[in-house]
Amino acid sequence: MLKRLALAALCLLGPVFSANAANFISFDPPGSLGTDPASINASGSIAGDYSYTPLFAHGFVRAPDGSYTSFDAAGALSTLPASINDTGAIAGFYIDRNSQAHAFVRAADGTITTFDPQGSNNTQATGINGNGTITGFYYDSNSRTHGFVRAADGTITKFDPRGSTDTVARSINAKGEIAGFYVDANRQGHSFVRGANGRFTTVDVPQALDTSALGINDKGAITGNYQDSAYVTHGFARAADGTITTFDPPGFVETLPFSINRAGRITGTYYAGNGQSHGFVRATSGKIITFDPPASSVTWAAAINNAGAITGKYLDKHGVYHGFVRIP
């Protein structure tokens, strides 16, 4: 459905290009000086932020028909959406006039609710699932980070894996399972999966110096990155049964996977030896396709939906970021 809608609206949405058997749609909200998409849902709605001055940003949601809605939390200097669910609810955070970060959730009808865990100095919501359950992390008065999960009724539960000195929660799936990473007393990083029952599973790529999970799908598979003994960053995927597979696109210097869909397709960014960054998508078979929107000098792929559509941003020759959708 997303592909049919997008192709039907090509003449309305701006330049569309074909590369690697995929179509690219380039987009910017009106008045944007730089566009930064963060998340895409099953219908193809995209949430992110765009700059309207060099220092401040508005949130936006882009509908599948290419229309935009701009929004801000009350009192925000910058509004930074992080995740959109299939009902159109958006979670993220905003920066106030005291440079403090607070979490928000924006309902599909546009109602915005702000919140902070008790004792938080700065709060960042990073993921929302279809039930409206939100995860993220916050800083305490000692600048230590802790994870949280906020139920749809507003109840907030704080959490840390055992042995953690800093916890960052990054993604939540339909079951309420949360993926993220934490740092132990030896300053070594580990990934974790927190079950809906609050039970933690620590995940480490064998022989890695540290491991960081960033995305989780509805089957419980996760993706992220790890550093080897030479401090080189690689991608990994961990199936729900615990099997870990490591991977890198050809010509990589650093690999940064961010998002995994229900089928297990993974998208992210890799840095190449020429100093450029490119997008990639990794199929469940392990095949990796690399891509760049035409006219891109830097590509940053952020998220993939269950239909395989990918959103992110690219830098043009004038040094301006634009949003893109890659439709397979």
Side-chain angles (χ1 to χ4, degrees):
M1 183 63 178
L2 172 61
K3 186 172 183 178
R4 290 199 299 272
L5 286 172
L7 292 178
L10 296 186
C11 61
L12 301 176
L13 301 183
V16 180
F17 311 96
S18 179
N20 295 323
N23 290 314
F24 286 94
I25 299 171
S26 176
F27 66 85
D28 293 285
S32 175
L33 301 179
T35 303
D36 191 1
S39 182
I40 183 169
N41 70 10
S43 69
S45 292
I46 295 169
D49 65 86
Y50 68 96
S51 300
Y52 61 96
T53 76
L55 296 177
F56 305 122
H58 296 295
F60 75 86
V61 57
R62 178 186 184 273
D65 65 3
S67 60
Y68 297 93
T69 301
S70 178
F71 65 90
D72 289 287
L77 291 181
S78 287
T79 301
L80 303 166
S83 180
I84 184 169
N85 71 11
D86 289 346
T87 71
I90 297 168
F93 63 99
Y94 71 96
I95 309 298
D96 67 19
R97 296 182 183 279
N98 296 314
S99 299
Q100 299 295 299
H102 309 274
F104 74 84
V105 56
R106 179 185 185 272
D109 66 5
T111 304
I112 295 176
T113 303
T114 64
F115 63 90
D116 292 283
Q118 187 175 4
S120 172
N121 282 346
N122 285 280
T123 308
Q124 296 188 26
T126 56
I128 183 170
N129 69 10
N131 298 322
T133 305
I134 296 168
T135 196
F137 63 97
Y138 70 95
Y139 290 82
D140 65 21
S141 59
N142 296 314
S143 296
R144 297 290 190 185
T145 59
H146 309 273
F148 73 83
V149 57
R150 179 185 185 271
D153 65 6
T155 304
I156 295 175
T157 302
K158 307 173 187 178
F159 63 80
D160 291 286
R162 181 177 298 178
S164 172
T165 61
D166 286 278
T167 303
V168 175
R170 286 296 307 263
S171 182
I172 185 169
N173 69 9
K175 300 176 184 177
E177 297 168 329
I178 296 168
F181 54 93
Y182 70 95
V183 178
D184 66 22
N186 296 318
R187 307 310 297 166
Q188 183 173 6
H190 310 270
S191 291
F192 70 82
V193 176
R194 180 186 185 271
N197 60 3
R199 183 175 300 172
F200 287 94
T201 300
T202 295
V203 176
D204 288 305
V205 175
Q207 285 79 56
L209 293 179
D210 58 59
T211 307
S212 299
L214 301 178
I216 186 168
N217 70 9
D218 289 345
K219 295 180 179 180
I222 64 174
T223 192
N225 65 75
Y226 72 97
Q227 278 194 331
D228 65 19
S229 59
Y231 299 97
V232 176
T233 302
H234 309 268
F236 79 90
R238 178 186 183 270
D241 66 5
T243 304
I244 293 175
T245 304
T246 62
F247 62 87
D248 296 286
F252 86 102
V253 171
E254 183 177 39
T255 305
L256 299 171
F258 295 118
S259 179
I260 182 169
N261 71 7
R262 186 177 296 142
R265 298 186 185 96
I266 295 168
T267 197
T269 298
Y270 74 98
Y271 293 96
N274 59 6
Q276 300 297 301
S277 68
H278 311 277
F280 73 85
V281 57
R282 179 184 185 270
T284 53
S285 65
K287 180 181 178 180
I288 295 175
I289 294 174
T290 65
F291 62 83
D292 295 280
S296 172
S297 61
V298 171
T299 302
W300 193 266
I304 186 169
N305 70 7
N306 288 330
I310 295 169
T311 194
K313 63 183 178 181
Y314 71 94
L315 190 70
D316 69 18
K317 64 181 180 180
H318 303 294
V320 177
Y321 275 108
H322 307 275
F324 74 83
V325 183
R326 178 186 185 271
I327 302 172

